Amino acid sequence: MDSDDVAIREQNFHSQVREYTICFLLFAILYTISYFIITKYKRKPDDHEDEDAIVNRISLYLCTFTLAVSAGAVLLLPFSIVSNEILLSFPQNYYIQWLNGSLIHGLWNLVSLFSNLSLFVLMPFAYFFLESEGFAGSKKGIKARILETLVMLILLGLLILGIVWVASALIDNDAASMESLYDLWEFYLPYLYSCISLMGGLLLLLCTPVGLSRMFTVMGQLLVKPTILEDLDEQIHCIILQEEALIRRLNGAYMTSYLKYDSDELEQELDGVRSKRSKLERRKKASAWERNLVYPVVMLILLSGTTISVLLVAFNILALLVDETAMPKGSQELGLGKASLSAFGFVGAAIEIILIFYLMVSSVVGFYSLRFFAALTPTKDDTTMTKIIGNCVSILVLSSALPVMSRTLGITRFDLLGDFGRFNWLGNFYIVLSYNLLFAVVTSLCLIRKFTSAVREELLKALGLNSLHLSNRTQESEKVLHSANGHQKSF
């Protein structure tokens, strides 16, 4: 054997070992962070060790794995964009030779593989494992629960296989498409994952515009608003009087056998008053720069990010109409470090990364803001494992569709790699164009509704229609504070 062939094989072997080591270290970091996040919200278990505790622990590990995969899917595009810009700036640097196209391709393929594994195997297994008790007549224990879980997984797989097979027959009723479904690994799983990706893209289309408008409210709750024509001392004094009155009423309800007031409602009202008092005291203690500088700057940043996103989508719509290369597509050969993906170089790449993270955060905020998914909102130290599984599946669907959505909307020009670029619907011009149009229109409508709510409420009041509760904010703005002497103070 030639010495050159041996040297090449050794070099390939060391490159593969280095890539696997880097992937393992990155995943270990994400897994550790995900574990701490889940344990922060998970309901605290009992001290004694029993069968249910073991099942909960196994489900916890599977949920942690899924959340780590979700984080990896979110970081795919930013990591790839940063790698391209670094290699473009330092092409011959010895210390970054490990950052190459093979590593990036490997990361995309691993995330795609683990996403399929988590979505179709691990999360259904964790849910059925939690709910299982063993078949009737069999000996109870972990083995019986695992057997029941495996049987349920097989039945679920057969059900999904049949649904997809029938759907494919209805949509594309030729012999080639029917026979291709028998190829489980090469066609069926990518086809199924393509359908899940389309559902995730539609879910992002629903959640992201809502989240973009909701972000202003969320940041307004976290930050201290400027004090303009407000007397915080008077408001705090009224709140203290109301709190004392509620405490006296609550003590009277406990001391008398006849409960004139519902103690549970009084306790909830007292908690709300104390929460308002803490917020007012926080506003009073905040420094002048925190009140008058941080809040306006953050609001301007949010408004700028939302405006840039909508403008990029608008430009992408025009590009789709005049240029075929604007269509999202997959790539098997990655020219990493050959050309910048943005016309503005490193600054444009940084803006793309910020927008990708901003869209992901907005989609999560919008997801939990929707009434249908509000019940999944986790609570610190009091979230059941079933709810944690639901949250992990939802975040995995959103994060797996994030690279596809970012490329479809024209937020970035980085081509999709691995199985992410094999989705069938990405080549449909009408689906891609409709997706861009819907995102731009729905986001604009949400922002218009958000910033015109005050004017709309004043018009309703002027027309005498505010009693119909046509606006949610009208109810919040007309909350009154009852003082101890029975008078009302409106803020």
Side-chain angles (χ1 to χ4, degrees), residues 93-107:
N93 195 317
Y94 174 78
Y95 297 101
I96 60 172
Q97 293 301 313
W98 56 272
L99 199 61
N100 50 39
S102 177
L103 174 63
I104 303 301
H105 264 291
L107 290 174

Side-chain angles (χ1 to χ4, degrees), residues 188-355:
Y188 175 73
L189 286 180
Y191 180 80
L192 184 59
Y193 191 58
S194 177
C195 297
I196 298 297
S197 173
L198 180 59
M199 293 174 56
L202 296 177
L203 185 60
L204 279 175
L205 183 61
L206 178 66
C207 297
T208 306
V210 176
L212 289 173
S213 61
R214 179 69 178 167
M215 284 290 290
F216 294 92
T217 304
V218 173
M219 296 307 298
Q221 295 173 352
L222 296 177
L223 300 176
V224 178
K225 296 181 180 180
T227 304
I228 302 175
L229 301 178
E230 287 186 281
D231 190 351
L232 294 180
D233 292 330
E234 182 182 358
Q235 295 184 21
I236 293 174
H237 179 67
C238 293
I239 286 286
I240 292 175
L241 292 178
Q242 185 184 9
E243 183 180 355
E244 293 175 352
L246 288 174
I247 291 175
R248 286 195 296 270
R249 290 166 61 187
L250 193 58
N251 291 334
Y254 285 141
M255 293 175 62
T256 58
S257 57
Y258 173 71
L259 298 181
K260 186 177 180 181
Y261 304 102
D262 190 354
S263 59
D264 294 334
E265 293 182 0
L266 288 176
E267 288 180 356
Q268 292 179 2
E269 189 175 355
L270 183 60
D271 292 338
V273 170
R274 287 174 175 172
S275 176
K276 293 178 183 178
R277 179 184 175 183
S278 63
K279 291 179 181 179
L280 288 174
E281 290 177 347
R282 180 171 177 266
R283 290 182 63 186
K284 183 180 179 181
K285 294 178 182 179
S287 60
W289 70 270
E290 184 180 357
R291 289 196 306 265
N292 302 322
L293 181 62
V294 175
Y295 182 84
V297 168
V298 171
M299 291 296 122
L300 286 175
I301 292 174
L302 293 179
L303 184 60
S304 301
T306 306
T307 304
I308 293 174
S309 301
V310 175
L311 289 176
L312 287 176
V313 175
F315 289 145
N316 189 57
I317 293 173
L318 296 177
L320 287 172
L321 295 175
V322 299
D323 188 4
E324 294 182 356
T325 59
M327 286 287 293
K329 60 182 183 301
S331 175
Q332 298 300 327
E333 296 182 0
L334 177 62
L336 202 66
K338 295 182 179 179
S340 180
L341 299 173
S342 174
F344 300 99
F346 187 80
V347 176
I351 293 176
E352 290 181 0
I353 294 173
I354 294 173
L355 289 178

Side-chain angles (χ1 to χ4, degrees), residues 50-212:
D50 57 359
E51 180 180 318
D52 291 334
I54 297 174
V55 172
N56 282 331
R57 190 180 303 115
I58 295 174
S59 300
L60 173 64
Y61 295 152
L62 296 180
C63 290
T64 305
F65 181 88
T66 303
L67 189 60
V69 173
S70 303
V74 173
L75 295 174
L76 269 182
L77 268 180
F79 185 79
S80 302
I81 295 172
V82 169
S83 302
N84 181 73
E85 297 299 326
I86 290 177
L87 290 177
L88 188 63
S89 302
F90 309 99
Q92 302 298 329
N93 195 317
Y94 174 78
Y95 297 101
I96 60 172
Q97 293 301 313
W98 56 272
L99 199 61
N100 50 39
S102 177
L103 174 63
I104 303 301
H105 264 291
L107 290 174
W108 281 75
N109 291 328
L110 285 177
V111 169
S112 177
L113 175 63
F114 289 158
S115 297
N116 282 282
L117 181 65
S118 300
L119 191 60
F120 300 123
V121 179
L122 298 185
M123 287 296 94
F125 180 87
Y127 177 76
F128 290 134
F129 197 34
L130 279 175
E131 301 296 329
S132 64
E133 296 179 356
F135 291 110
S138 62
K139 185 179 179 180
K140 303 298 181 183
I142 297 293
K143 293 183 179 180
R145 299 179 71 163
I146 292 177
L147 179 61
E148 181 184 353
T149 303
L150 293 177
V151 172
M152 292 298 296
L153 280 179
I154 293 174
L155 294 177
L156 178 64
L158 292 176
L159 176 63
I160 296 177
L161 177 63
I163 292 175
V164 175
W165 200 84
V166 172
S168 177
L170 293 176
I171 296 174
D172 194 3
N173 156 9
D174 58 340
S177 63
M178 300 292 293
E179 293 179 359
S180 60
L181 275 177
Y182 293 107
D183 193 348
L184 184 66
W185 186 260
E186 290 296 330
F187 183 84
Y188 175 73
L189 286 180
Y191 180 80
L192 184 59
Y193 191 58
S194 177
C195 297
I196 298 297
S197 173
L198 180 59
M199 293 174 56
L202 296 177
L203 185 60
L204 279 175
L205 183 61
L206 178 66
C207 297
T208 306
V210 176
L212 289 173

Side-chain angles (χ1 to χ4, degrees), residues 389-430:
I389 292 173
N391 280 275
C392 290
V393 171
S394 303
I395 294 176
L396 178 62
V397 172
L398 291 174
S399 59
S400 298
L402 179 66
V404 181
M405 186 192 75
S406 301
R407 181 63 183 89
T408 304
L409 295 178
I411 303 298
T412 180
R413 295 297 176 183
F414 194 91
D415 290 333
L416 301 172
L417 303 178
D419 290 335
F420 287 92
R422 297 172 58 186
F423 299 147
N424 299 331
W425 60 273
L426 288 177
N428 192 311
F429 172 77
Y430 297 102

